[in-house]
Amino acid sequence: MPKVKTNRVQYPEGWELIEPTLNELQAKMREAENDPNDNKRKCEALWPIFKIAHQKSRYVFDVYYRRKEISKELFDFCLDQGYADRNLIAKWKKPGYERLCCLRCMQPRDHNFQTTCVCRVPKHLREEKVIECVHCGCKGCASGD
């Protein structure tokens, strides 16, 4: 008889500190994914998912880089297991991208005139004072706001 593989994950030390928050955000994510999209534009249906994914990544980033409460091993574990977005966190470490909402907002190929999203424009330079990003619903993530 063939051996049965078990998929047991060994959690690093300190996991119990961040587990409740990550589980809560994961439950919110499941709820947002199952939410009916009645009376919403096609792009608006994904906004809650982008927002929760941003919250999870920001939480892991803050706990490791700002508060220094978790180890490098646990931080890498969270990135490898998909609890946080590795590329978004890499951008947050660069100057000018500290408040970036999602990676689609800075990619020129997804926008008219090959520029970045309107939410990346500082508030004092905008013609319209109240805007919403088409991709993720962000109201402004420029670092100078």
Side-chain angles (χ1 to χ4, degrees), residues 14-100:
W15 172 251
E16 57 278 349
L17 294 173
I18 62 172
E19 183 181 20
T21 305
L22 290 177
N23 286 341
E24 179 184 324
L25 289 170
Q26 194 67 29
K28 281 185 184 179
M29 179 70 85
R30 264 188 254 106
E31 186 178 310
E33 288 170 349
N34 294 331
D35 192 32
N37 301 343
D38 300 340
N39 301 327
K40 288 184 180 178
R41 295 185 323 209
K42 189 176 180 181
C43 62
E44 285 180 8
L46 297 176
W47 289 358
I49 296 170
F50 275 109
K51 183 179 176 185
I52 295 168
H54 177 271
Q55 285 176 344
K56 284 179 14 179
S57 296
R58 180 54 83 171
Y59 174 72
V60 173
F61 175 81
D62 286 341
V63 168
Y64 180 68
Y65 285 104
R66 301 260 166 89
R67 293 188 260 168
K68 300 184 186 329
E69 292 179 0
I70 62 173
S71 64
K72 172 83 171 138
E73 180 186 355
L74 181 55
F75 177 71
D76 289 338
F77 174 81
C78 289
L79 295 179
D80 292 339
Q81 295 296 319
Y83 288 106
D85 186 356
R86 182 183 308 272
N87 297 325
L88 188 58
I89 289 176
K91 283 296 178 188
W92 285 337
K93 292 190 283 184
K94 295 182 179 178
Y97 295 100
E98 298 89 3
R99 297 182 58 209
L100 183 65

Side-chain angles (χ1 to χ4, degrees), residues 98-112:
E98 298 89 3
R99 297 182 58 209
L100 183 65
C101 56
C102 70
L103 292 172
R104 287 188 69 189
C105 288
M106 58 164 283
Q107 294 175 342
R109 67 168 189 225
D110 293 336
H111 305 287
N112 296 338

